[in-house]
Amino acid sequence: NKLQVVDAVLDKPPNQKHTFVLILGETCSRNHMSLYGADINTNPKLSKRKDIIKFTDVISGYNYTIQSVPAMLSQTNLENKLGIAESIDILDTFHSAGFKTFWISNQSPIGIWDNVISGIARKSDHTEFVNTSSNSSQEAILSRAYDENLFKPFKSALEEDENSKFIVLHLMGSHNTYSKRYPPSFEHFKGKSSRKEEVIAEYRNSIRYNDFVVDSLLTILDFYTLSEGNEVSSAIYVSDHGENVFDEMDGLGHDYAKELPRAVVEIPFLVWLSPGYREKNTGKVNSILENKREAILTKK
Protein backbone atom coordinates (compact mmCIF):
# COMPACT_ATOMS: atom_id res chain seq x y z
CA ASN A 1 0.00 0.00 0.00
CA LYS A 2 1.47 3.30 -1.11
CA LEU A 3 0.31 5.33 1.89
CA GLN A 4 1.65 2.78 4.37
CA VAL A 5 5.14 3.01 2.88
CA VAL A 6 5.05 6.81 2.80
CA ASP A 7 3.85 6.98 6.41
CA ALA A 8 6.64 4.63 7.48
CA VAL A 9 9.35 7.02 6.31
CA LEU A 10 7.86 10.47 6.90
CA ASP A 11 8.87 10.47 10.56
CA LYS A 12 12.51 9.46 9.97
CA PRO A 13 15.04 11.75 11.65
CA PRO A 14 17.30 13.95 9.48
CA ASN A 15 20.23 12.09 7.90
CA GLN A 16 18.96 8.72 9.14
CA LYS A 17 19.88 6.16 6.51
CA HIS A 18 17.14 3.80 5.31
CA THR A 19 17.87 0.90 2.94
CA PHE A 20 15.20 -1.59 1.92
CA VAL A 21 16.12 -4.56 -0.26
CA LEU A 22 13.81 -6.92 -2.14
CA ILE A 23 15.44 -10.15 -3.35
CA LEU A 24 13.20 -11.64 -6.04
CA GLY A 25 13.85 -15.35 -6.37
CA GLU A 26 12.98 -17.53 -9.32
CA THR A 27 11.35 -20.99 -9.47
CA CYS A 28 12.14 -21.82 -5.84
CA SER A 29 9.94 -24.40 -4.14
CA ARG A 30 10.15 -24.35 -0.35
CA ASN A 31 9.43 -28.09 -0.43
CA HIS A 32 13.03 -28.64 -1.56
CA MET A 33 14.51 -26.39 1.13
CA SER A 34 15.86 -27.96 4.31
CA LEU A 35 15.09 -24.60 5.96
CA TYR A 36 11.45 -25.59 5.48
CA GLY A 37 11.84 -29.20 6.54
CA ALA A 38 13.06 -30.97 3.40
CA ASP A 39 15.08 -34.05 4.33
CA ILE A 40 18.11 -33.08 2.21
CA ASN A 41 20.55 -30.33 3.23
CA THR A 42 19.92 -27.63 0.65
CA ASN A 43 20.25 -24.73 3.13
CA PRO A 44 23.55 -25.17 4.99
CA LYS A 45 23.98 -21.39 5.33
CA LEU A 46 20.49 -19.92 5.82
CA SER A 47 19.69 -22.63 8.38
CA LYS A 48 22.49 -21.31 10.60
CA ARG A 49 21.30 -17.71 10.57
CA LYS A 50 19.65 -16.39 13.72
CA ASP A 51 18.63 -13.06 12.19
CA ILE A 52 15.92 -14.07 9.71
CA ILE A 53 12.18 -14.50 10.16
CA LYS A 54 10.76 -17.42 8.19
CA PHE A 55 7.16 -17.45 6.98
CA THR A 56 5.78 -20.90 6.25
CA ASP A 57 2.36 -20.26 4.69
CA VAL A 58 3.09 -17.96 1.71
CA ILE A 59 1.90 -18.86 -1.78
CA SER A 60 2.40 -17.11 -5.11
CA GLY A 61 -0.56 -15.61 -6.94
CA TYR A 62 0.41 -17.20 -10.22
CA ASN A 63 2.62 -19.96 -11.57
CA TYR A 64 4.48 -17.82 -14.13
CA THR A 65 6.96 -14.98 -13.63
CA ILE A 66 5.29 -12.68 -16.13
CA GLN A 67 2.09 -12.78 -14.03
CA SER A 68 3.37 -13.28 -10.50
CA VAL A 69 6.00 -10.52 -10.36
CA PRO A 70 3.67 -7.68 -11.47
CA ALA A 71 1.06 -9.01 -9.00
CA MET A 72 3.67 -8.97 -6.21
CA LEU A 73 4.84 -5.45 -6.94
CA SER A 74 1.68 -3.57 -7.87
CA GLN A 75 -2.02 -3.16 -7.16
CA THR A 76 -2.99 -5.79 -9.69
CA ASN A 77 -3.87 -9.19 -8.25
CA LEU A 78 -6.26 -12.12 -8.65
CA GLU A 79 -9.22 -10.12 -7.33
CA ASN A 80 -8.26 -6.74 -8.81
CA LYS A 81 -6.86 -7.26 -12.28
CA LEU A 82 -5.48 -3.93 -13.43
CA GLY A 83 -3.27 -3.19 -16.41
CA ILE A 84 0.31 -2.21 -15.63
CA ALA A 85 -0.34 1.34 -16.85
CA GLU A 86 -3.32 1.69 -14.49
CA SER A 87 -1.62 0.25 -11.42
CA ILE A 88 0.60 1.92 -8.81
CA ASP A 89 3.66 -0.24 -8.25
CA ILE A 90 6.31 -0.48 -5.56
CA LEU A 91 8.79 1.70 -7.48
CA ASP A 92 6.20 4.48 -7.74
CA THR A 93 5.63 4.20 -4.01
CA PHE A 94 9.26 4.35 -2.91
CA HIS A 95 10.03 7.10 -5.42
CA SER A 96 7.17 9.21 -4.05
CA ALA A 97 8.55 8.67 -0.54
CA GLY A 98 11.91 10.16 -1.56
CA PHE A 99 13.91 6.96 -2.05
CA LYS A 100 16.45 6.40 -4.80
CA THR A 101 15.38 3.20 -6.52
CA PHE A 102 17.57 0.47 -8.01
CA TRP A 103 16.72 -2.60 -10.07
CA ILE A 104 19.65 -4.99 -10.54
CA SER A 105 18.80 -8.13 -12.48
CA ASN A 106 20.41 -11.38 -13.56
CA GLN A 107 17.42 -12.11 -15.78
CA SER A 108 17.41 -11.33 -19.48
CA PRO A 109 16.13 -7.81 -20.23
CA ILE A 110 14.14 -8.98 -23.29
CA GLY A 111 11.98 -11.95 -24.16
CA ILE A 112 8.48 -13.36 -23.91
CA TRP A 113 8.79 -13.81 -20.13
CA ASP A 114 10.60 -10.57 -19.33
CA ASN A 115 9.32 -7.63 -21.37
CA VAL A 116 6.60 -6.58 -18.89
CA ILE A 117 8.93 -6.94 -15.91
CA SER A 118 11.70 -5.06 -17.69
CA GLY A 119 9.22 -2.23 -18.23
CA ILE A 120 8.66 -2.03 -14.47
CA ALA A 121 12.41 -2.29 -13.82
CA ARG A 122 13.25 0.61 -16.14
CA LYS A 123 11.09 2.94 -14.05
CA SER A 124 13.76 2.80 -11.33
CA ASP A 125 16.39 5.53 -11.01
CA HIS A 126 19.15 2.99 -11.69
CA THR A 127 18.54 -0.12 -13.80
CA GLU A 128 21.25 -2.70 -14.44
CA PHE A 129 20.98 -6.04 -16.25
CA VAL A 130 24.07 -8.15 -15.69
CA ASN A 131 22.89 -11.07 -17.87
CA THR A 132 23.25 -9.82 -21.45
CA SER A 133 25.00 -12.79 -23.04
CA SER A 134 21.76 -14.05 -24.65
CA ASN A 135 19.45 -12.45 -27.18
CA SER A 136 16.26 -13.40 -25.36
CA SER A 137 14.91 -14.98 -22.20
CA GLN A 138 14.46 -18.25 -24.08
CA GLU A 139 18.15 -18.32 -24.91
CA ALA A 140 19.08 -17.25 -21.39
CA ILE A 141 17.68 -20.42 -19.81
CA LEU A 142 20.23 -22.45 -21.80
CA SER A 143 23.23 -20.36 -20.76
CA ARG A 144 25.18 -20.01 -17.53
CA ALA A 145 24.81 -16.71 -15.69
CA TYR A 146 25.37 -17.17 -11.99
CA ASP A 147 23.55 -15.02 -9.46
CA GLU A 148 26.81 -14.16 -7.70
CA ASN A 149 27.24 -11.69 -10.58
CA LEU A 150 24.85 -9.48 -8.61
CA PHE A 151 27.23 -9.11 -5.65
CA LYS A 152 29.41 -6.36 -7.14
CA PRO A 153 26.60 -4.08 -8.43
CA PHE A 154 24.75 -4.62 -5.15
CA LYS A 155 27.79 -3.40 -3.22
CA SER A 156 28.04 -0.40 -5.54
CA ALA A 157 24.39 0.49 -4.89
CA LEU A 158 24.92 0.25 -1.13
CA GLU A 159 27.97 2.50 -1.38
CA GLU A 160 26.04 5.30 -3.09
CA ASP A 161 25.72 8.40 -0.91
CA GLU A 162 21.94 8.41 -0.56
CA ASN A 163 20.05 8.44 2.72
CA SER A 164 17.07 6.51 1.38
CA LYS A 165 17.48 3.56 -0.99
CA PHE A 166 15.22 0.81 -2.28
CA ILE A 167 17.04 -1.97 -4.12
CA VAL A 168 15.48 -4.84 -6.08
CA LEU A 169 17.74 -7.81 -6.85
CA HIS A 170 16.19 -10.14 -9.45
CA LEU A 171 17.77 -13.60 -9.41
CA MET A 172 17.87 -16.35 -12.02
CA GLY A 173 17.44 -18.71 -9.07
CA SER A 174 16.41 -22.19 -10.22
CA HIS A 175 15.09 -21.20 -13.64
CA ASN A 176 15.34 -24.16 -15.95
CA THR A 177 17.73 -25.43 -17.17
CA TYR A 178 18.60 -26.31 -13.53
CA SER A 179 22.12 -27.54 -14.28
CA LYS A 180 22.99 -24.09 -15.70
CA ARG A 181 22.09 -22.28 -12.48
CA TYR A 182 25.09 -23.25 -10.35
CA PRO A 183 28.87 -23.58 -10.82
CA PRO A 184 30.54 -27.03 -10.81
CA SER A 185 31.69 -26.54 -7.21
CA PHE A 186 28.02 -26.72 -6.12
CA GLU A 187 27.36 -30.12 -7.69
CA HIS A 188 26.66 -31.61 -4.27
CA PHE A 189 23.81 -33.98 -5.12
CA LYS A 190 24.12 -36.61 -7.83
CA GLY A 191 21.30 -38.63 -9.37
CA LYS A 192 22.82 -41.79 -10.75
CA SER A 193 19.97 -44.26 -11.13
CA SER A 194 17.88 -42.49 -13.78
CA ARG A 195 17.41 -39.25 -15.68
CA LYS A 196 14.56 -38.41 -13.29
CA GLU A 197 16.87 -38.72 -10.27
CA GLU A 198 19.48 -36.67 -12.12
CA VAL A 199 17.01 -33.83 -12.72
CA ILE A 200 15.95 -33.85 -9.05
CA ALA A 201 19.63 -33.68 -8.04
CA GLU A 202 20.25 -30.76 -10.42
CA TYR A 203 17.28 -28.86 -9.00
CA ARG A 204 18.47 -29.46 -5.45
CA ASN A 205 21.95 -28.24 -6.40
CA SER A 206 20.38 -25.03 -7.74
CA ILE A 207 18.54 -24.58 -4.43
CA ARG A 208 21.78 -25.14 -2.50
CA TYR A 209 23.54 -22.53 -4.65
CA ASN A 210 20.59 -20.18 -4.13
CA ASP A 211 21.14 -20.67 -0.39
CA PHE A 212 24.71 -19.40 -0.84
CA VAL A 213 23.55 -16.42 -2.93
CA VAL A 214 20.79 -15.24 -0.59
CA ASP A 215 22.97 -15.73 2.49
CA SER A 216 25.77 -13.75 0.81
CA LEU A 217 23.44 -10.88 -0.13
CA LEU A 218 22.21 -10.67 3.47
CA THR A 219 25.80 -10.73 4.74
CA ILE A 220 26.76 -7.93 2.35
CA LEU A 221 23.79 -5.85 3.49
CA ASP A 222 24.60 -6.55 7.13
CA PHE A 223 28.22 -5.44 6.62
CA TYR A 224 27.26 -2.15 4.96
CA THR A 225 24.56 -1.53 7.56
CA LEU A 226 27.07 -1.90 10.41
CA SER A 227 29.64 0.25 8.62
CA GLU A 228 27.10 3.08 8.45
CA GLY A 229 26.34 2.89 12.16
CA ASN A 230 22.84 2.09 13.37
CA GLU A 231 21.23 2.19 9.94
CA VAL A 232 17.60 1.20 9.48
CA SER A 233 17.61 -1.50 6.81
CA SER A 234 15.69 -4.61 5.92
CA ALA A 235 15.50 -7.31 3.26
CA ILE A 236 12.82 -9.65 2.00
CA TYR A 237 13.56 -12.77 0.00
CA VAL A 238 10.61 -14.28 -1.87
CA SER A 239 10.32 -16.43 -4.97
CA ASP A 240 8.03 -15.56 -7.88
CA HIS A 241 6.60 -19.10 -7.91
CA GLY A 242 7.57 -22.65 -7.02
CA GLU A 243 8.30 -25.73 -9.12
CA ASN A 244 6.96 -29.24 -9.39
CA VAL A 245 10.03 -31.46 -9.54
CA PHE A 246 8.24 -34.80 -9.59
CA ASP A 247 6.65 -33.86 -6.26
CA GLU A 248 3.10 -34.32 -7.49
CA MET A 249 1.49 -36.24 -10.34
CA ASP A 250 4.97 -37.18 -11.55
CA GLY A 251 5.20 -33.74 -13.16
CA LEU A 252 8.09 -31.42 -13.95
CA GLY A 253 7.92 -27.64 -14.29
CA HIS A 254 5.39 -25.02 -13.20
CA ASP A 255 2.63 -25.34 -15.77
CA TYR A 256 -0.45 -27.45 -15.15
CA ALA A 257 -3.75 -28.67 -16.59
CA LYS A 258 -6.99 -28.87 -14.59
CA GLU A 259 -5.38 -29.51 -11.19
CA LEU A 260 -2.84 -27.05 -9.74
CA PRO A 261 0.07 -28.80 -7.98
CA ARG A 262 0.74 -27.15 -4.62
CA ALA A 263 4.46 -27.31 -5.38
CA VAL A 264 4.20 -24.63 -8.08
CA VAL A 265 2.82 -22.00 -5.68
CA GLU A 266 4.33 -22.90 -2.28
CA ILE A 267 7.21 -20.47 -1.97
CA PRO A 268 9.74 -19.28 0.63
CA PHE A 269 9.37 -15.89 2.29
CA LEU A 270 12.19 -14.66 4.52
CA VAL A 271 12.60 -11.32 6.30
CA TRP A 272 15.90 -9.87 7.56
CA LEU A 273 15.93 -6.79 9.81
CA SER A 274 18.97 -4.79 10.88
CA PRO A 275 19.59 -4.18 14.60
CA GLY A 276 18.79 -0.52 13.95
CA TYR A 277 15.46 -1.44 12.38
CA ARG A 278 14.58 -3.73 15.30
CA GLU A 279 15.53 -1.05 17.83
CA LYS A 280 13.57 1.77 16.20
CA ASN A 281 10.53 -0.32 15.22
CA THR A 282 10.01 -2.60 18.20
CA GLY A 283 6.23 -2.49 17.88
CA LYS A 284 6.27 -3.44 14.20
CA VAL A 285 8.74 -6.28 14.77
CA ASN A 286 6.68 -7.66 17.66
CA SER A 287 3.56 -7.43 15.48
CA ILE A 288 5.27 -9.40 12.70
CA LEU A 289 6.39 -12.09 15.12
CA GLU A 290 3.01 -12.30 16.84
CA ASN A 291 1.07 -12.50 13.57
CA LYS A 292 3.44 -15.22 12.40
CA ARG A 293 2.94 -17.12 15.67
CA GLU A 294 -0.85 -16.82 15.42
CA ALA A 295 -0.74 -18.10 11.82
CA ILE A 296 1.27 -21.14 12.93
CA LEU A 297 -1.10 -21.86 15.82
CA THR A 298 -4.14 -21.50 13.54
CA LYS A 299 -2.58 -23.85 11.02
CA LYS A 300 -2.05 -26.52 13.69
Side-chain angles (χ1 to χ4, degrees):
N1 184 293
K2 181 177 179 180
L3 293 178
Q4 287 177 335
V5 175
V6 174
D7 288 344
V9 298
L10 284 178
D11 59 351
K12 62 185 179 182
N15 302 317
Q16 172 70 64
K17 288 184 176 293
H18 287 67
T19 301
F20 299 124
V21 178
L22 174 61
I23 306 170
L24 276 178
E26 170 69 58
T27 318
C28 184
S29 167
R30 66 172 183 253
N31 301 308
H32 287 261
M33 298 176 68
S34 53
L35 187 66
Y36 280 87
D39 59 2
I40 33 85
N41 189 14
T42 52
N43 294 116
K45 293 187 176 293
L46 289 176
S47 293
K48 293 178 181 177
R49 297 192 75 105
K50 306 298 183 185
D51 57 354
I52 55 177
I53 302 169
K54 176 182 68 177
F55 290 81
T56 58
D57 58 351
V58 177
I59 61 172
S60 60
Y62 296 92
N63 61 313
Y64 278 104
T65 307
I66 196 170
Q67 296 169 303
S68 62
V69 171
M72 280 184 189
L73 304 185
S74 72
Q75 292 175 302
T76 185
N77 53 51
L78 287 167
E79 293 79 25
N80 185 34
K81 294 184 179 180
L82 297 173
I84 294 298
E86 309 168 83
S87 179
I88 296 172
D89 61 54
I90 199 167
L91 291 171
D92 297 326
T93 303
F94 274 97
H95 181 77
S96 70
F99 282 69
K100 183 171 183 179
T101 55
F102 301 76
W103 189 292
I104 307 170
S105 176
N106 192 31
Q107 300 245 351
S108 173
I110 55 173
I112 58 172
W113 303 313
D114 299 282
N115 288 342
V116 172
I117 298 165
S118 294
I120 297 174
R122 294 187 190 283
K123 294 171 67 175
S124 61
D125 297 312
H126 174 89
T127 309
E128 184 170 355
F129 291 92
V130 302
N131 183 1
T132 56
S133 59
S134 304
N135 292 320
S136 69
S137 53
Q138 286 178 307
E139 285 187 14
I141 66 172
L142 301 175
S143 63
R144 296 185 182 275
Y146 303 135
D147 283 330
E148 62 196 75
N149 292 335
L150 295 174
F151 294 171
K152 185 175 180 180
F154 181 42
K155 291 176 183 176
S156 296
L158 291 171
E159 287 170 353
E160 286 211 12
D161 188 20
E162 296 283 342
N163 277 348
S164 302
K165 286 178 280 194
F166 174 62
I167 304 170
V168 179
L169 302 165
H170 198 182
L171 310 182
M172 274 291 274
S174 297
H175 209 324
N176 65 354
T177 308
Y178 311 138
S179 61
K180 305 291 186 183
R181 302 285 77 85
Y182 54 90
S185 59
F186 277 82
E187 194 173 339
H188 182 81
F189 304 104
K190 300 181 186 296
K192 298 179 179 179
S193 60
S194 66
R195 177 54 186 157
K196 177 178 176 179
E197 291 300 319
E198 187 178 8
V199 170
I200 293 172
E202 289 170 354
Y203 184 73
R204 289 174 172 175
N205 286 331
S206 72
I207 297 293
R208 192 175 171 101
Y209 177 65
N210 187 67
D211 173 76
F212 158 74
V213 170
V214 175
D215 176 74
S216 297
L217 292 171
L218 296 180
T219 299
I220 291 168
L221 178 58
D222 192 20
F223 173 81
Y224 278 89
T225 297
L226 290 174
S227 69
E228 292 290 343
N230 208 16
E231 181 178 347
V232 173
S233 60
S234 68
I236 291 174
Y237 166 69
V238 60
S239 184
D240 58 352
H241 54 76
E243 187 84 331
N244 185 15
V245 190
F246 305 109
D247 302 291
E248 301 170 57
M249 296 172 278
D250 204 36
L252 178 65
H254 47 269
D255 56 353
Y256 68 98
K258 295 184 180 179
E259 184 177 348
L260 173 68
R262 294 170 63 95
V264 305
V265 294
E266 292 183 332
I267 55 174
F269 190 100
L270 306 175
V271 175
W272 177 91
L273 305 172
S274 71
Y277 186 103
R278 290 174 180 267
E279 179 185 322
K280 293 178 174 60
N281 298 281
T282 306
K284 290 179 184 178
V285 175
N286 289 340
S287 177
I288 291 171
L289 294 173
E290 186 59 31
N291 288 336
K292 179 177 177 291
R293 178 176 174 273
E294 288 179 359
I296 292 170
L297 291 174
T298 303
K299 217 173 175 183
K300 288 180 179 180

